[in-house]
């Protein structure tokens, strides 16, 4: 999950008169500059200018970044585990560090600043429920992210050959420990996204929080993969598992890795509303 902080944060001005116009990579009060808050929101009038920029290039950036992320994840798993199946025990910690670093870099890249660098349908959903993203753009973003996931995994298979589809690599598809049933994995995935959504709400509420956002997201992702990877799989991102599971034919638990983060995003946004961090969804 990624968000790009505003390069010139604006101090939040509490009060019901402030209208949320932020994307995932901007502060809710003023995502694109001091005058952005004065623009009509996408659901409040006929004016097309939402301050977010055209949807198509932003969706393309989401698809491209998600594809690159999945390509690099499959590449990392292929070289961490493929040559030596016995090295699987070291994979979660190393892979977590790799993915966390990549996310921090992606969110501050030009494409990340263009789209907001969500790279995660659950994050997009959470930002909508937090009042920081237009509801009508959630589905296009999710489609772009899931499409990018499949394309990135497919490209990795072309680059590294049949080994990526065979155990133990399996296109980097995650699997829970056999002792973890569907309910436990669902709870873990939902819990991670609920906590992450609360973190996003808190960081987006202040200029200082927005400045450290890339590092907080990268560190959180690394910890989730390192700690939960051997247990629940540690996906916390429907796009992270969608492409790998689809190409590996490992779709038995895919619904858990899609539904869990989505439920967690909604729950986290609800909890943020109870603490006063959430704005009305658009």
């Amino acid at each position: 999950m990624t968000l790009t902080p505003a390069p010139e944060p604006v101090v939040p001005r509490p009060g019901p008169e402030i209208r949320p116009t932020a994307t995932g990579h901007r502060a809710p009060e003023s995502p694109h500059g001091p005058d952005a808050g004065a623009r009509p929101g996408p659901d409040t009038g006929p004016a097309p200018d939402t301050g977010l920029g055209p949807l198509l290039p932003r969706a393309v950036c989401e698809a491209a970044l998600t594809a690159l992320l999945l390509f690099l994840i499959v590449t990392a798993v292929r070289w961490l585990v493929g040559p030596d199946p016995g090295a699987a025990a070291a994979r979660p910690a190393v892979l977590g560090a790799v993915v966390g670093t990549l996310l921090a870099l992606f969110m501050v890249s030009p494409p990340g600043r263009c789209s907001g660098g969500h790279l995660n349908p659950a994050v997009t959903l959470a930002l909508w429920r937090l009042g920081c993203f237009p509801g009508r753009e959630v589905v296009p973003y999710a489609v772009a992210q899931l499409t990018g996931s499949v394309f990135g995994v497919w490209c990795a298979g072309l680059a590294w050959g049949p080994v990526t589809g065979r155990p133990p690599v399996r296109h980097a598809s995650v699997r829970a420990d056999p002792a973890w049933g569907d309910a436990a994995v669902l709870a873990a995935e939902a819990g991670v996204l609920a906590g992450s959504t609360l973190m996003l709400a808190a960081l987006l509420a202040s200029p200082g929080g927005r400045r450290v956002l890339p590092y907080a997201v990268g560190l959180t992702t690394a910890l989730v993969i390192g700690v939960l990877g051997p247990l629940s799989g540690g996906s916390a991102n429907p796009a992270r598992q969608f492409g790998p599971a689809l190409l590996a034919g490992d779709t038995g638990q895919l619904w858990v890795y899609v539904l869990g983060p989505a439920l967690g995003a909604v729950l986290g946004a609800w909890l943020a509303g109870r603490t006063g961090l959430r704005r009305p969804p658009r």
Side-chain angles (χ1 to χ4, degrees):
M1 57 193 137
T2 58
L3 299 166
T4 305
E8 298 178 4
V10 178
V11 176
R13 298 168 303 203
E17 72 281 3
I18 300 174
R19 299 167 63 184
T21 58
T23 68
H25 62 295
R26 305 295 185 189
E29 290 74 17
S30 181
H32 294 277
D35 60 342
R39 297 172 179 170
D43 300 324
T44 60
D49 184 5
T50 64
L52 305 180
L55 173 60
L56 181 58
R58 290 187 285 114
V60 169
C61 286
E62 279 292 297
L65 286 175
T66 307
L68 181 58
L69 176 66
L70 267 295
F71 176 87
L72 294 174
I73 287 175
V74 176
T75 298
V77 173
R78 185 261 179 270
W79 292 107
L80 281 172
V81 181
D84 180 13
R91 180 179 66 179
V94 177
L95 185 61
V98 170
V99 175
T101 301
L102 288 173
L103 290 178
L105 292 174
F106 285 175
M107 76 173 63
V108 299
S109 68
R113 290 188 177 278
C114 173
S115 70
H118 303 181
L119 310 185
N120 184 339
V123 168
T124 301
L125 177 62
L127 290 169
W128 169 49
R129 298 308 302 167
L130 289 172
C132 300
F133 191 76
R136 67 184 184 183
E137 296 186 0
V138 171
V139 171
Y141 259 51
V143 170
Q145 293 152 354
L146 296 177
T147 302
S149 172
V150 175
F151 184 70
V153 176
W154 179 74
C155 288
L158 289 181
W160 306 120
V163 68
T164 60
R166 296 195 296 260
V169 180
R170 292 182 289 102
H171 295 293
S173 177
V174 302
R175 285 187 177 180
D177 184 277
W180 282 58
D182 288 349
V185 176
L186 185 72
E189 291 285 296
V192 168
L193 254 296
S196 298
T197 301
L198 287 171
M199 181 190 75
L200 294 178
L203 291 177
L204 287 170
S206 69
R210 294 193 294 273
R211 282 191 290 269
V212 303
L213 191 54
Y215 316 106
V217 169
L219 179 60
T220 300
T221 301
L223 290 175
V224 168
I225 296 174
V227 174
L228 289 179
L231 302 175
S232 68
S235 172
N237 180 349
R240 160 64 181 90
Q241 177 68 344
F242 185 75
L246 203 63
L247 270 69
D250 190 15
T251 57
Q253 278 192 318
L254 180 57
W255 70 272
V256 176
Y257 291 105
V258 172
L259 180 62
L263 292 176
V266 174
L267 175 61
W270 178 80
L271 292 173
R274 300 288 292 181
T275 61
L277 293 173
R278 189 190 71 181
R279 297 183 178 279
R282 295 188 287 160

